[in-house]
Amino acid sequence: MITLEQLKENLENIENRICNACKRAGRSRDEITLIAVSKMNPAEAVIAALDCGINIFGENKVQELCEKYEQIDKCAEWHLIGHLQRNKVKYIIGKTKLIHSVDSLRLAEEIDKESKKKNVVTDILIEVNAASEESKFGVPVCEAEELIREISLLSNVRICGLMTVAPYTENAEDNRIYFKEMKELSVDINSKNIDNVHMNVLSMGMTGDFETAIEEGATHVRIGTGIFGERTYGSK
Ligand SMILES: *Cc1c(COP(=O)(O)O)cnc(C)c1O
């Protein structure tokens, strides 16, 4: 596991880079929410990050999110950022601040149904496959509005914005077009004034490309490796 010293150093580095990207874009640091992606890292790493003042965490698996939710102090805020299967929805309702990865009506209906049972309204984002990658989840850009209109009719989910996972690249500049496209889509959908739909959140940018995402309008960046170090696959 990462040492506290290394974690502090990483967080300082990321914070500086977020601030610099904000400056370049003429934005305020307050406009950006940093989500520390703790997937495949132990609960101790999350607790160490909490000690460093980070309290928003992203997980991509329901089971891991639930385990950490139980283990860790309630002041942590949990975001589900990975693909969500309908049969697992019931486990996370009430535990997540925001579900970033809704890309079908059937999934939204399940979230709505389970939210009704627990008497909560669940905040969600619509995941968009901005680069039309076969391997990726997310609704195609051209189908996003229709999906949003359908989901907007559900009473116990609230659409708060859009999310994308841009292609893996060595060069963040390559993803600028996708971030721009997402911002345009967000502005476009916002202009339609659909009831029960808000476009306050634009979740995009990871360790390799978050600065470019911030320059193009990201409000939430999801950073794992840049904070917790390389994940060791196979251990979890
Ligand atoms: C793992 C993951 C991240 C963080 O990726 P890093 O490159 O480690 O910063 C962000 N978003 C999603 C959806 C992820 O699954």
Side-chain angles (χ1 to χ4, degrees):
M1 193 188 103
I2 190 164
T3 63
L4 189 58
E5 209 160 281
Q6 186 65 57
L7 183 61
K8 276 188 184 145
E9 194 180 313
N10 288 351
L11 282 167
E12 229 166 82
N13 171 274
I14 296 290
E15 186 56 40
N16 283 334
R17 289 167 61 190
I18 291 174
C19 286
N20 287 332
C22 284
K23 277 193 199 121
R24 285 195 296 280
R27 302 180 66 192
S28 153
R29 171 66 184 86
D30 310 340
E31 293 174 40
I32 314 297
T33 300
L34 170 61
I35 300 173
V37 176
S38 47
K39 67 183 183 199
M40 301 175 84
N41 282 280
E44 292 75 27
V46 174
I47 292 164
L50 279 163
D51 287 339
C52 296
I54 297 295
N55 66 342
I56 305 176
F57 299 95
E59 287 288 339
N60 69 336
K61 293 211 167 75
V62 167
Q63 190 183 342
E64 206 175 332
L65 189 152
C66 290
E67 282 170 13
K68 286 181 184 149
Y69 180 88
E70 297 304 331
Q71 285 167 28
I72 292 163
D73 191 60
K74 296 291 180 256
C75 69
E77 175 182 307
W78 296 98
H79 292 233
L80 185 76
I81 60 174
H83 181 62
L84 176 58
Q85 289 167 298
R86 278 179 298 136
N87 62 351
K88 300 216 170 130
V89 166
K90 57 179 176 287
Y91 301 117
I92 56 156
I93 298 305
K95 295 182 185 169
T96 52
K97 169 81 174 169
L98 189 60
I99 299 174
H100 290 230
S101 45
V102 178
D103 62 359
S104 74
L105 179 60
R106 288 173 79 203
L107 174 58
E109 283 171 341
E110 185 66 23
I111 296 171
D112 186 58
K113 187 182 101 193
E114 292 297 327
S115 300
K116 276 200 185 91
K117 281 191 201 164
K118 294 207 167 81
N119 203 21
V120 295
V121 175
T122 300
D123 284 341
I124 64 165
L125 303 179
I126 303 302
E127 180 170 358
V128 178
N129 187 353
S132 313
E133 289 176 282
E134 289 232 355
S135 60
K136 291 265 164 76
F137 294 104
V139 63
V141 172
C142 62
E143 292 169 25
E145 184 182 335
E146 190 188 344
L147 178 63
I148 287 169
R149 284 188 186 279
E150 290 167 344
I151 295 176
S152 74
L153 303 175
L154 304 174
S155 59
N156 287 55
V157 299
R158 183 166 45 214
I159 298 176
C160 299
L162 307 176
M163 177 271 213
T164 199
V165 180
Y168 177 77
T169 173
E170 296 281 315
N171 178 10
E173 276 308 314
D174 296 344
N175 284 340
R176 191 179 293 277
I177 48 166
Y178 304 120
F179 297 144
K180 270 191 203 297
E181 185 179 29
M182 289 291 292
K183 176 67 186 184
E184 275 168 25
L185 181 63
S186 165
V187 168
D188 182 44
I189 288 170
N190 204 35
S191 73
K192 312 261 158 112
N193 289 317
I194 306 166
D195 256 6
N196 194 29
V197 174
H198 305 273
M199 285 289 132
N200 300 325
V201 175
L202 194 47
S203 169
M204 58 188 193
M206 310 178 13
T207 298
D209 57 16
F210 70 91
E211 290 146 300
T212 311
I214 289 172
E215 287 167 19
E216 298 303 332
T219 66
H220 288 54
V221 291
R222 309 178 306 266
I223 302 181
T225 318
I227 293 175
F228 294 106
E230 289 294 335
R231 290 177 286 272
T232 25
Y233 286 88
S235 69
K236 179 111 199 182

mmCIF file of all heavy atoms in Angstrom, residues 37-41 57-69 78-85 88-89 91-92 95-96 98-101 137 231-236:
data_model
loop_
_atom_site.group_PDB
_atom_site.id
_atom_site.type_symbol
_atom_site.label_atom_id
_atom_site.label_comp_id
_atom_site.label_asym_id
_atom_site.label_seq_id
_atom_site.Cartn_x
_atom_site.Cartn_y
_atom_site.Cartn_z
ATOM 1 N N VAL A 37 -10.297 7.995 -6.924
ATOM 2 C CA VAL A 37 -10.766 6.666 -7.342
ATOM 3 C C VAL A 37 -9.962 5.600 -6.588
ATOM 4 O O VAL A 37 -8.788 5.376 -6.858
ATOM 5 C CB VAL A 37 -10.657 6.491 -8.872
ATOM 6 C CG1 VAL A 37 -11.057 5.073 -9.279
ATOM 7 C CG2 VAL A 37 -11.536 7.515 -9.583
ATOM 8 N N SER A 38 -10.634 4.981 -5.625
ATOM 9 C CA SER A 38 -9.949 4.097 -4.681
ATOM 10 C C SER A 38 -10.072 2.619 -5.052
ATOM 11 O O SER A 38 -9.645 1.750 -4.297
ATOM 12 C CB SER A 38 -10.499 4.335 -3.273
ATOM 13 O OG SER A 38 -11.922 4.353 -3.279
ATOM 14 N N LYS A 39 -10.652 2.330 -6.202
ATOM 15 C CA LYS A 39 -10.846 0.933 -6.602
ATOM 16 C C LYS A 39 -9.536 0.151 -6.521
ATOM 17 O O LYS A 39 -8.484 0.656 -6.895
ATOM 18 C CB LYS A 39 -11.409 0.856 -8.022
ATOM 19 C CG LYS A 39 -10.447 1.343 -9.095
ATOM 20 C CD LYS A 39 -11.086 1.314 -10.474
ATOM 21 C CE LYS A 39 -10.078 1.732 -11.530
ATOM 22 N NZ LYS A 39 -10.708 2.143 -12.791
ATOM 23 N N MET A 40 -9.649 -1.073 -6.050
ATOM 24 C CA MET A 40 -8.509 -1.984 -5.917
ATOM 25 C C MET A 40 -7.475 -1.533 -4.893
ATOM 26 O O MET A 40 -6.418 -2.140 -4.758
ATOM 27 C CB MET A 40 -7.818 -2.216 -7.264
ATOM 28 C CG MET A 40 -8.775 -2.800 -8.289
ATOM 29 S SD MET A 40 -8.071 -2.944 -9.894
ATOM 30 C CE MET A 40 -7.231 -4.492 -9.734
ATOM 31 N N ASN A 41 -7.783 -0.469 -4.182
ATOM 32 C CA ASN A 41 -6.929 -0.078 -3.067
ATOM 33 C C ASN A 41 -7.652 -0.443 -1.772
ATOM 34 O O ASN A 41 -8.875 -0.378 -1.703
ATOM 35 C CB ASN A 41 -6.673 1.435 -3.109
ATOM 36 C CG ASN A 41 -5.624 1.801 -4.132
ATOM 37 O OD1 ASN A 41 -4.429 1.681 -3.883
ATOM 38 N ND2 ASN A 41 -6.070 2.219 -5.307
ATOM 39 N N PHE A 57 -14.883 9.643 -2.836
ATOM 40 C CA PHE A 57 -14.224 8.469 -3.398
ATOM 41 C C PHE A 57 -15.062 7.837 -4.493
ATOM 42 O O PHE A 57 -16.291 7.826 -4.427
ATOM 43 C CB PHE A 57 -13.929 7.458 -2.290
ATOM 44 C CG PHE A 57 -13.001 8.016 -1.245
ATOM 45 C CD1 PHE A 57 -13.518 8.593 -0.090
ATOM 46 C CD2 PHE A 57 -11.624 8.028 -1.446
ATOM 47 C CE1 PHE A 57 -12.668 9.157 0.862
ATOM 48 C CE2 PHE A 57 -10.774 8.597 -0.503
ATOM 49 C CZ PHE A 57 -11.295 9.156 0.653
ATOM 50 N N GLY A 58 -14.362 7.312 -5.490
ATOM 51 C CA GLY A 58 -15.033 6.634 -6.592
ATOM 52 C C GLY A 58 -14.664 5.164 -6.606
ATOM 53 O O GLY A 58 -13.506 4.794 -6.413
ATOM 54 N N GLU A 59 -15.674 4.330 -6.812
ATOM 55 C CA GLU A 59 -15.455 2.885 -6.938
ATOM 56 C C GLU A 59 -16.140 2.425 -8.216
ATOM 57 O O GLU A 59 -17.167 2.978 -8.609
ATOM 58 C CB GLU A 59 -16.053 2.146 -5.735
ATOM 59 C CG GLU A 59 -15.271 2.321 -4.442
ATOM 60 C CD GLU A 59 -13.943 1.567 -4.421
ATOM 61 O OE1 GLU A 59 -13.790 0.600 -5.201
ATOM 62 O OE2 GLU A 59 -13.060 1.959 -3.640
ATOM 63 N N ASN A 60 -15.587 1.377 -8.843
ATOM 64 C CA ASN A 60 -16.230 0.922 -10.075
ATOM 65 C C ASN A 60 -16.979 -0.394 -9.901
ATOM 66 O O ASN A 60 -17.607 -0.864 -10.837
ATOM 67 C CB ASN A 60 -15.231 0.856 -11.234
ATOM 68 C CG ASN A 60 -14.217 -0.241 -11.046
ATOM 69 O OD1 ASN A 60 -13.962 -0.653 -9.917
ATOM 70 N ND2 ASN A 60 -13.646 -0.713 -12.135
ATOM 71 N N LYS A 61 -16.904 -0.984 -8.697
ATOM 72 C CA LYS A 61 -17.637 -2.229 -8.473
ATOM 73 C C LYS A 61 -18.533 -2.101 -7.251
ATOM 74 O O LYS A 61 -18.121 -1.588 -6.210
ATOM 75 C CB LYS A 61 -16.653 -3.378 -8.260
ATOM 76 C CG LYS A 61 -15.839 -3.709 -9.503
ATOM 77 C CD LYS A 61 -15.489 -5.184 -9.533
ATOM 78 C CE LYS A 61 -14.955 -5.611 -10.885
ATOM 79 N NZ LYS A 61 -13.572 -5.157 -11.099
ATOM 80 N N VAL A 62 -19.738 -2.630 -7.395
ATOM 81 C CA VAL A 62 -20.723 -2.511 -6.326
ATOM 82 C C VAL A 62 -20.229 -3.166 -5.042
ATOM 83 O O VAL A 62 -20.303 -2.589 -3.961
ATOM 84 C CB VAL A 62 -22.069 -3.142 -6.763
ATOM 85 C CG1 VAL A 62 -23.012 -3.317 -5.589
ATOM 86 C CG2 VAL A 62 -22.718 -2.275 -7.847
ATOM 87 N N GLN A 63 -19.693 -4.384 -5.168
ATOM 88 C CA GLN A 63 -19.286 -5.101 -3.964
ATOM 89 C C GLN A 63 -18.185 -4.364 -3.203
ATOM 90 O O GLN A 63 -18.218 -4.239 -1.977
ATOM 91 C CB GLN A 63 -18.823 -6.509 -4.314
ATOM 92 C CG GLN A 63 -18.638 -7.352 -3.059
ATOM 93 C CD GLN A 63 -18.113 -8.738 -3.353
ATOM 94 O OE1 GLN A 63 -18.194 -9.217 -4.494
ATOM 95 N NE2 GLN A 63 -17.577 -9.374 -2.344
ATOM 96 N N GLU A 64 -17.231 -3.840 -3.957
ATOM 97 C CA GLU A 64 -16.117 -3.132 -3.312
ATOM 98 C C GLU A 64 -16.618 -1.840 -2.659
ATOM 99 O O GLU A 64 -16.187 -1.482 -1.557
ATOM 100 C CB GLU A 64 -15.041 -2.846 -4.362
ATOM 101 C CG GLU A 64 -13.667 -2.704 -3.762
ATOM 102 C CD GLU A 64 -12.576 -2.536 -4.818
ATOM 103 O OE1 GLU A 64 -12.749 -3.043 -5.952
ATOM 104 O OE2 GLU A 64 -11.569 -1.893 -4.492
ATOM 105 N N LEU A 65 -17.519 -1.167 -3.339
ATOM 106 C CA LEU A 65 -18.084 0.058 -2.755
ATOM 107 C C LEU A 65 -18.795 -0.266 -1.439
ATOM 108 O O LEU A 65 -18.585 0.410 -0.424
ATOM 109 C CB LEU A 65 -19.044 0.720 -3.754
ATOM 110 C CG LEU A 65 -19.556 2.117 -3.374
ATOM 111 C CD1 LEU A 65 -19.892 2.923 -4.635
ATOM 112 C CD2 LEU A 65 -20.764 2.094 -2.470
ATOM 113 N N CYS A 66 -19.592 -1.327 -1.450
ATOM 114 C CA CYS A 66 -20.360 -1.687 -0.240
ATOM 115 C C CYS A 66 -19.429 -2.075 0.907
ATOM 116 O O CYS A 66 -19.647 -1.691 2.055
ATOM 117 C CB CYS A 66 -21.341 -2.810 -0.545
ATOM 118 S SG CYS A 66 -22.694 -2.276 -1.599
ATOM 119 N N GLU A 67 -18.387 -2.837 0.580
ATOM 120 C CA GLU A 67 -17.436 -3.241 1.630
ATOM 121 C C GLU A 67 -16.783 -2.022 2.266
ATOM 122 O O GLU A 67 -16.709 -1.911 3.488
ATOM 123 C CB GLU A 67 -16.334 -4.141 1.035
ATOM 124 C CG GLU A 67 -16.799 -5.571 0.819
ATOM 125 C CD GLU A 67 -15.794 -6.390 0.004
ATOM 126 O OE1 GLU A 67 -14.637 -5.931 -0.191
ATOM 127 O OE2 GLU A 67 -16.172 -7.482 -0.455
ATOM 128 N N LYS A 68 -16.323 -1.110 1.422
ATOM 129 C CA LYS A 68 -15.644 0.074 1.976
ATOM 130 C C LYS A 68 -16.636 0.973 2.700
ATOM 131 O O LYS A 68 -16.311 1.575 3.729
ATOM 132 C CB LYS A 68 -14.907 0.824 0.876
ATOM 133 C CG LYS A 68 -13.649 0.087 0.439
ATOM 134 C CD LYS A 68 -12.887 0.825 -0.632
ATOM 135 C CE LYS A 68 -11.701 -0.015 -1.092
ATOM 136 N NZ LYS A 68 -11.369 0.219 -2.495
ATOM 137 N N TYR A 69 -17.846 1.030 2.178
ATOM 138 C CA TYR A 69 -18.890 1.835 2.822
ATOM 139 C C TYR A 69 -19.094 1.361 4.267
ATOM 140 O O TYR A 69 -19.233 2.167 5.184
ATOM 141 C CB TYR A 69 -20.195 1.703 2.034
ATOM 142 C CG TYR A 69 -21.347 2.491 2.598
ATOM 143 C CD1 TYR A 69 -21.559 3.816 2.222
ATOM 144 C CD2 TYR A 69 -22.229 1.908 3.512
ATOM 145 C CE1 TYR A 69 -22.623 4.539 2.735
ATOM 146 C CE2 TYR A 69 -23.291 2.626 4.031
ATOM 147 C CZ TYR A 69 -23.485 3.934 3.640
ATOM 148 O OH TYR A 69 -24.537 4.646 4.161
ATOM 149 N N TRP A 78 -19.450 8.461 -1.418
ATOM 150 C CA TRP A 78 -19.130 7.437 -2.413
ATOM 151 C C TRP A 78 -19.816 7.669 -3.750
ATOM 152 O O TRP A 78 -21.010 7.941 -3.813
ATOM 153 C CB TRP A 78 -19.536 6.052 -1.865
ATOM 154 C CG TRP A 78 -18.727 5.708 -0.659
ATOM 155 C CD1 TRP A 78 -19.108 5.862 0.639
ATOM 156 C CD2 TRP A 78 -17.381 5.231 -0.651
ATOM 157 N NE1 TRP A 78 -18.071 5.491 1.468
ATOM 158 C CE2 TRP A 78 -16.991 5.103 0.702
ATOM 159 C CE3 TRP A 78 -16.447 4.900 -1.647
ATOM 160 C CZ2 TRP A 78 -15.727 4.656 1.083
ATOM 161 C CZ3 TRP A 78 -15.181 4.452 -1.272
ATOM 162 C CH2 TRP A 78 -14.846 4.341 0.076
ATOM 163 N N HIS A 79 -19.023 7.542 -4.803
ATOM 164 C CA HIS A 79 -19.549 7.651 -6.165
ATOM 165 C C HIS A 79 -19.323 6.323 -6.885
ATOM 166 O O HIS A 79 -18.206 5.799 -6.855
ATOM 167 C CB HIS A 79 -18.823 8.762 -6.936
ATOM 168 C CG HIS A 79 -19.119 10.134 -6.431
ATOM 169 N ND1 HIS A 79 -19.564 11.147 -7.252
ATOM 170 C CD2 HIS A 79 -19.032 10.676 -5.185
ATOM 171 C CE1 HIS A 79 -19.747 12.240 -6.535
ATOM 172 N NE2 HIS A 79 -19.419 11.991 -5.283
ATOM 173 N N LEU A 80 -20.373 5.820 -7.516
ATOM 174 C CA LEU A 80 -20.187 4.631 -8.345
ATOM 175 C C LEU A 80 -19.867 5.102 -9.759
ATOM 176 O O LEU A 80 -20.661 5.794 -10.398
ATOM 177 C CB LEU A 80 -21.426 3.736 -8.359
ATOM 178 C CG LEU A 80 -21.141 2.439 -9.138
ATOM 179 C CD1 LEU A 80 -20.300 1.477 -8.298
ATOM 180 C CD2 LEU A 80 -22.401 1.766 -9.611
ATOM 181 N N ILE A 81 -18.684 4.734 -10.250
ATOM 182 C CA ILE A 81 -18.234 5.248 -11.551
ATOM 183 C C ILE A 81 -18.179 4.160 -12.609
ATOM 184 O O ILE A 81 -17.993 4.452 -13.780
ATOM 185 C CB ILE A 81 -16.855 5.939 -11.418
ATOM 186 C CG1 ILE A 81 -15.806 4.954 -10.913
ATOM 187 C CG2 ILE A 81 -16.942 7.148 -10.485
ATOM 188 C CD1 ILE A 81 -14.395 5.525 -10.898
ATOM 189 N N GLY A 82 -18.324 2.900 -12.192
ATOM 190 C CA GLY A 82 -18.192 1.799 -13.146
ATOM 191 C C GLY A 82 -19.532 1.246 -13.579
ATOM 192 O O GLY A 82 -20.583 1.612 -13.029
ATOM 193 N N HIS A 83 -19.479 0.352 -14.537
ATOM 194 C CA HIS A 83 -20.691 -0.256 -15.086
ATOM 195 C C HIS A 83 -21.526 -0.896 -13.981
ATOM 196 O O HIS A 83 -20.997 -1.563 -13.099
ATOM 197 C CB HIS A 83 -20.300 -1.307 -16.122
ATOM 198 C CG HIS A 83 -21.483 -1.960 -16.757
ATOM 199 N ND1 HIS A 83 -22.393 -1.253 -17.499
ATOM 200 C CD2 HIS A 83 -21.913 -3.243 -16.742
ATOM 201 C CE1 HIS A 83 -23.332 -2.080 -17.918
ATOM 202 N NE2 HIS A 83 -23.071 -3.289 -17.478
ATOM 203 N N LEU A 84 -22.818 -0.683 -14.044
ATOM 204 C CA LEU A 84 -23.726 -1.178 -13.011
ATOM 205 C C LEU A 84 -24.705 -2.173 -13.621
ATOM 206 O O LEU A 84 -25.402 -1.862 -14.582
ATOM 207 C CB LEU A 84 -24.474 0.021 -12.398
ATOM 208 C CG LEU A 84 -25.559 -0.266 -11.360
ATOM 209 C CD1 LEU A 84 -25.015 -1.052 -10.172
ATOM 210 C CD2 LEU A 84 -26.168 1.052 -10.867
ATOM 211 N N GLN A 85 -24.737 -3.373 -13.042
ATOM 212 C CA GLN A 85 -25.714 -4.369 -13.497
ATOM 213 C C GLN A 85 -27.008 -4.185 -12.722
ATOM 214 O O GLN A 85 -26.985 -3.872 -11.529
ATOM 215 C CB GLN A 85 -25.171 -5.775 -13.241
ATOM 216 C CG GLN A 85 -24.026 -6.142 -14.162
ATOM 217 C CD GLN A 85 -23.339 -7.395 -13.665
ATOM 218 O OE1 GLN A 85 -22.790 -7.428 -12.568
ATOM 219 N NE2 GLN A 85 -23.379 -8.443 -14.466
ATOM 220 N N LYS A 88 -27.645 -5.646 -9.272
ATOM 221 C CA LYS A 88 -26.845 -5.153 -8.130
ATOM 222 C C LYS A 88 -27.310 -3.795 -7.623
ATOM 223 O O LYS A 88 -26.812 -3.302 -6.608
ATOM 224 C CB LYS A 88 -25.381 -5.060 -8.549
ATOM 225 C CG LYS A 88 -24.827 -6.410 -8.985
ATOM 226 C CD LYS A 88 -23.391 -6.599 -8.585
ATOM 227 C CE LYS A 88 -22.958 -8.026 -8.821
ATOM 228 N NZ LYS A 88 -21.707 -8.094 -9.581
ATOM 229 N N VAL A 89 -28.253 -3.208 -8.332
ATOM 230 C CA VAL A 89 -28.703 -1.858 -7.976
ATOM 231 C C VAL A 89 -29.153 -1.792 -6.523
ATOM 232 O O VAL A 89 -28.826 -0.862 -5.785
ATOM 233 C CB VAL A 89 -29.842 -1.398 -8.922
ATOM 234 C CG1 VAL A 89 -30.556 -0.178 -8.386
ATOM 235 C CG2 VAL A 89 -29.286 -1.122 -10.323
ATOM 236 N N TYR A 91 -28.229 -3.086 -3.896
ATOM 237 C CA TYR A 91 -27.204 -3.031 -2.843
ATOM 238 C C TYR A 91 -26.655 -1.623 -2.607
ATOM 239 O O TYR A 91 -26.073 -1.347 -1.572
ATOM 240 C CB TYR A 91 -26.036 -3.965 -3.175
ATOM 241 C CG TYR A 91 -26.470 -5.402 -3.328
ATOM 242 C CD1 TYR A 91 -26.333 -6.061 -4.546
ATOM 243 C CD2 TYR A 91 -27.028 -6.092 -2.249
ATOM 244 C CE1 TYR A 91 -26.735 -7.382 -4.696
ATOM 245 C CE2 TYR A 91 -27.438 -7.413 -2.392
ATOM 246 C CZ TYR A 91 -27.294 -8.044 -3.618
ATOM 247 O OH TYR A 91 -27.703 -9.344 -3.762
ATOM 248 N N ILE A 92 -26.774 -0.769 -3.607
ATOM 249 C CA ILE A 92 -26.088 0.526 -3.448
ATOM 250 C C ILE A 92 -27.007 1.721 -3.242
ATOM 251 O O ILE A 92 -26.532 2.812 -2.923
ATOM 252 C CB ILE A 92 -25.151 0.836 -4.641
ATOM 253 C CG1 ILE A 92 -25.915 0.800 -5.960
ATOM 254 C CG2 ILE A 92 -23.958 -0.079 -4.660
ATOM 255 C CD1 ILE A 92 -25.225 1.637 -7.008
ATOM 256 N N LYS A 95 -26.495 4.498 -0.606
ATOM 257 C CA LYS A 95 -25.089 4.562 -0.193
ATOM 258 C C LYS A 95 -24.258 5.483 -1.090
ATOM 259 O O LYS A 95 -23.156 5.872 -0.721
ATOM 260 C CB LYS A 95 -24.461 3.160 -0.233
ATOM 261 C CG LYS A 95 -25.081 2.218 0.784
ATOM 262 C CD LYS A 95 -24.435 0.856 0.766
ATOM 263 C CE LYS A 95 -25.191 -0.068 1.712
ATOM 264 N NZ LYS A 95 -24.779 -1.463 1.547
ATOM 265 N N THR A 96 -24.767 5.757 -2.270
ATOM 266 C CA THR A 96 -23.977 6.559 -3.209
ATOM 267 C C THR A 96 -24.487 7.991 -3.288
ATOM 268 O O THR A 96 -25.691 8.243 -3.305
ATOM 269 C CB THR A 96 -24.067 6.013 -4.653
ATOM 270 O OG1 THR A 96 -25.445 5.873 -4.986
ATOM 271 C CG2 THR A 96 -23.358 4.712 -4.806
ATOM 272 N N LEU A 98 -23.646 9.755 -5.949
ATOM 273 C CA LEU A 98 -23.915 9.929 -7.376
ATOM 274 C C LEU A 98 -23.523 8.652 -8.116
ATOM 275 O O LEU A 98 -22.440 8.114 -7.887
ATOM 276 C CB LEU A 98 -23.078 11.116 -7.883
ATOM 277 C CG LEU A 98 -23.306 11.658 -9.295
ATOM 278 C CD1 LEU A 98 -24.742 12.159 -9.475
ATOM 279 C CD2 LEU A 98 -22.325 12.807 -9.573
ATOM 280 N N ILE A 99 -24.425 8.203 -8.989
ATOM 281 C CA ILE A 99 -24.103 7.075 -9.867
ATOM 282 C C ILE A 99 -23.759 7.656 -11.231
ATOM 283 O O ILE A 99 -24.598 8.298 -11.867
ATOM 284 C CB ILE A 99 -25.293 6.089 -9.971
ATOM 285 C CG1 ILE A 99 -25.627 5.509 -8.595
ATOM 286 C CG2 ILE A 99 -24.973 4.966 -10.975
ATOM 287 C CD1 ILE A 99 -26.892 4.632 -8.573
ATOM 288 N N HIS A 100 -22.498 7.462 -11.661
ATOM 289 C CA HIS A 100 -22.020 8.137 -12.879
ATOM 290 C C HIS A 100 -22.342 7.386 -14.164
ATOM 291 O O HIS A 100 -22.113 7.913 -15.243
ATOM 292 C CB HIS A 100 -20.490 8.290 -12.827
ATOM 293 C CG HIS A 100 -19.991 9.265 -11.817
ATOM 294 N ND1 HIS A 100 -19.075 10.256 -12.116
ATOM 295 C CD2 HIS A 100 -20.262 9.421 -10.497
ATOM 296 C CE1 HIS A 100 -18.800 10.965 -11.044
ATOM 297 N NE2 HIS A 100 -19.498 10.471 -10.030
ATOM 298 N N SER A 101 -22.772 6.131 -14.047
ATOM 299 C CA SER A 101 -22.690 5.222 -15.184
ATOM 300 C C SER A 101 -24.036 4.684 -15.670
ATOM 301 O O SER A 101 -24.167 3.511 -15.948
ATOM 302 C CB SER A 101 -21.788 4.058 -14.790
ATOM 303 O OG SER A 101 -22.142 3.601 -13.473
ATOM 304 N N PHE A 137 -18.792 1.203 -22.391
ATOM 305 C CA PHE A 137 -20.197 1.400 -22.087
ATOM 306 C C PHE A 137 -20.569 2.842 -22.418
ATOM 307 O O PHE A 137 -19.729 3.648 -22.764
ATOM 308 C CB PHE A 137 -20.469 1.116 -20.602
ATOM 309 C CG PHE A 137 -20.249 -0.325 -20.245
ATOM 310 C CD1 PHE A 137 -19.109 -0.731 -19.554
ATOM 311 C CD2 PHE A 137 -21.190 -1.274 -20.611
ATOM 312 C CE1 PHE A 137 -18.907 -2.064 -19.225
ATOM 313 C CE2 PHE A 137 -20.997 -2.610 -20.282
ATOM 314 C CZ PHE A 137 -19.859 -3.001 -19.602
ATOM 315 N N ARG A 231 -2.297 0.574 -9.691
ATOM 316 C CA ARG A 231 -3.078 -0.495 -9.061
ATOM 317 C C ARG A 231 -2.425 -1.834 -9.383
ATOM 318 O O ARG A 231 -1.977 -2.050 -10.501
ATOM 319 C CB ARG A 231 -4.501 -0.493 -9.611
ATOM 320 C CG ARG A 231 -5.317 0.697 -9.165
ATOM 321 C CD ARG A 231 -6.694 0.694 -9.784
ATOM 322 N NE ARG A 231 -6.679 1.050 -11.191
ATOM 323 C CZ ARG A 231 -6.755 2.294 -11.661
ATOM 324 N NH1 ARG A 231 -6.846 3.309 -10.828
ATOM 325 N NH2 ARG A 231 -6.743 2.534 -12.940
ATOM 326 N N THR A 232 -2.367 -2.713 -8.373
ATOM 327 C CA THR A 232 -1.834 -4.046 -8.653
ATOM 328 C C THR A 232 -2.971 -4.963 -9.021
ATOM 329 O O THR A 232 -3.782 -5.329 -8.179
ATOM 330 C CB THR A 232 -1.073 -4.602 -7.435
ATOM 331 O OG1 THR A 232 -1.573 -3.979 -6.277
ATOM 332 C CG2 THR A 232 0.404 -4.386 -7.561
ATOM 333 N N TYR A 233 -3.050 -5.287 -10.298
ATOM 334 C CA TYR A 233 -4.127 -6.144 -10.769
ATOM 335 C C TYR A 233 -3.883 -7.566 -10.292
ATOM 336 O O TYR A 233 -2.753 -7.990 -10.140
ATOM 337 C CB TYR A 233 -4.228 -6.080 -12.301
ATOM 338 C CG TYR A 233 -4.821 -4.784 -12.738
ATOM 339 C CD1 TYR A 233 -4.030 -3.677 -12.962
ATOM 340 C CD2 TYR A 233 -6.207 -4.656 -12.833
ATOM 341 C CE1 TYR A 233 -4.595 -2.453 -13.321
ATOM 342 C CE2 TYR A 233 -6.777 -3.441 -13.196
ATOM 343 C CZ TYR A 233 -5.960 -2.359 -13.436
ATOM 344 O OH TYR A 233 -6.515 -1.166 -13.782
ATOM 345 N N GLY A 234 -4.966 -8.260 -10.014
ATOM 346 C CA GLY A 234 -4.818 -9.639 -9.570
ATOM 347 C C GLY A 234 -4.951 -9.767 -8.080
ATOM 348 O O GLY A 234 -5.400 -10.783 -7.587
ATOM 349 N N SER A 235 -4.606 -8.728 -7.340
ATOM 350 C CA SER A 235 -4.688 -8.814 -5.890
ATOM 351 C C SER A 235 -6.130 -8.693 -5.422
ATOM 352 O O SER A 235 -6.490 -9.130 -4.352
ATOM 353 C CB SER A 235 -3.845 -7.735 -5.225
ATOM 354 O OG SER A 235 -4.413 -6.467 -5.449
ATOM 355 N N LYS A 236 -6.954 -8.086 -6.250
ATOM 356 C CA LYS A 236 -8.371 -7.907 -5.849
ATOM 357 C C LYS A 236 -9.231 -8.136 -7.078
ATOM 358 O O LYS A 236 -8.943 -7.573 -8.108
ATOM 359 C CB LYS A 236 -8.566 -6.505 -5.299
ATOM 360 C CG LYS A 236 -9.986 -6.202 -4.874
ATOM 361 C CD LYS A 236 -10.069 -6.058 -3.380
ATOM 362 C CE LYS A 236 -11.514 -6.222 -2.947
ATOM 363 N NZ LYS A 236 -11.766 -6.081 -1.576
#
